[in-house]
């Protein structure tokens, strides 16, 4: 297992800092090979870039050009995240669970899934003045209870400006 464990909830305020430190790690030139620490940094950087909603844009020294190839599954996650299809992303994470656990990245991947789901919920905020929870649940492919709980969490955290009215819960 790597020495970098990111299973804790990474707070949004720390994304920039985490990205910065992982980018520094990747930009350090080495003699002739890529270090395991740099591979782990690239894996984490990929997941945190999804969480932060930023494009992955790291300039790797030429000696590290093999890192994206070594981290191909993370590149695939990045592509799926760009599609904003939370169901496909969730299925991919489920399929990759043993791999992600082995690299201590399952927690970050689950946070990335939550970010994609929240992003999809926020799209509706700008489109609808009011919306039935059942309609939102059908679109997001979640249960009405899951949608209501997710909305309550997003409202309480300030991520969503909305109200849940009992007259619209069904």
């Amino acid at each position: 297992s790597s020495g970098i464990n990111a299973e804790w909830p990474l707070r949004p305020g720390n994304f920039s800092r985490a990205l910065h430190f992982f980018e520094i790690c990747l930009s350090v030139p080495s003699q002739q090979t890529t270090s395991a620490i740099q591979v782990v940094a690239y894996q984490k950087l990929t997941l945190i870039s999804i969480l932060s909603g930023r494009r992955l844009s790291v300039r790797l020294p030429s000696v590290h050009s093999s890192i994206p190839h070594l981290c191909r599954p993370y590149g695939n996650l990045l592509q799926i995240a760009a599609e904003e299809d939370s169901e496909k992303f969730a299925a991919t994470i489920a399929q990759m669970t043993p791999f992600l656990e082995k690299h201590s990245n399952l927690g970050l991947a689950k946070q990335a899934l939550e970010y994609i789901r929240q992003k999809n919920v926020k799209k509706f905020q700008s489109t609808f003045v009011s919306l039935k929870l059942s309609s939102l649940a059908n679109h997001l492919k979640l249960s009405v209870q899951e949608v209501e709980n997710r909305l309550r969490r997003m409202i309480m955290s300030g991520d969503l400006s909305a109200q849940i009215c009992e007259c619209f819960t069904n």
Side-chain angles (χ1 to χ4, degrees):
S1 172
S2 70
I4 302 171
N5 186 352
E7 292 300 320
W8 72 91
L10 187 61
R11 305 283 182 245
N14 294 335
F15 291 151
S16 294
R17 187 172 179 186
L19 289 168
H20 175 72
F21 287 127
F22 288 129
E23 287 169 355
I24 288 173
C25 180
L26 287 165
S27 66
V28 173
S30 63
Q31 291 294 76
Q32 296 174 342
T33 62
T34 300
S35 77
I37 292 171
Q38 290 171 316
V39 171
V40 170
Y42 189 85
Q43 293 168 351
K44 308 262 187 232
L45 180 72
T46 302
L47 292 169
I48 294 169
S49 70
I50 295 169
L51 273 167
S52 66
R54 298 182 188 164
R55 289 187 54 91
L56 182 62
S57 60
V58 171
R59 294 177 195 254
L60 299 172
S62 60
V63 73
H64 301 316
S65 61
S66 64
I67 291 177
H69 176 72
L70 294 170
C71 300
R72 184 172 289 143
Y74 291 92
N76 293 342
L77 277 177
L78 196 61
Q79 289 175 338
I80 294 167
E83 296 171 18
E84 297 179 355
D85 183 342
S86 59
E87 192 172 333
K88 186 175 179 181
F89 195 82
T92 304
I93 288 175
Q95 181 182 8
M96 290 178 63
T97 294
F99 176 81
L100 291 167
E101 283 177 333
K102 178 182 173 190
H103 294 109
S104 299
N105 285 328
L106 184 59
L108 281 175
K110 287 180 177 179
Q111 287 182 64
L113 174 60
E114 183 66 21
Y115 170 80
I116 293 168
R117 286 180 172 158
Q118 286 183 1
K119 193 172 179 182
N120 287 337
V121 168
K122 287 180 182 180
K123 286 180 186 176
F124 287 97
Q125 182 181 19
S126 61
T127 307
F128 297 98
V129 173
S130 65
L131 180 65
K132 289 184 178 183
L133 288 179
S134 58
S135 298
L136 187 56
N138 286 337
H139 182 78
L140 297 174
K141 297 179 177 71
L142 298 170
S143 73
V144 172
Q145 189 61 46
E146 286 176 299
V147 169
E148 184 174 356
N149 291 340
R150 183 174 310 281
L151 288 173
R152 288 189 191 284
R153 282 193 310 269
M154 289 175 71
I155 292 167
M156 289 176 64
S157 68
D159 289 332
L160 185 68
S161 175
Q163 292 179 347
I164 297 177
C165 176
E166 294 302 317
C167 57
F168 292 112
T169 57
N170 293 320

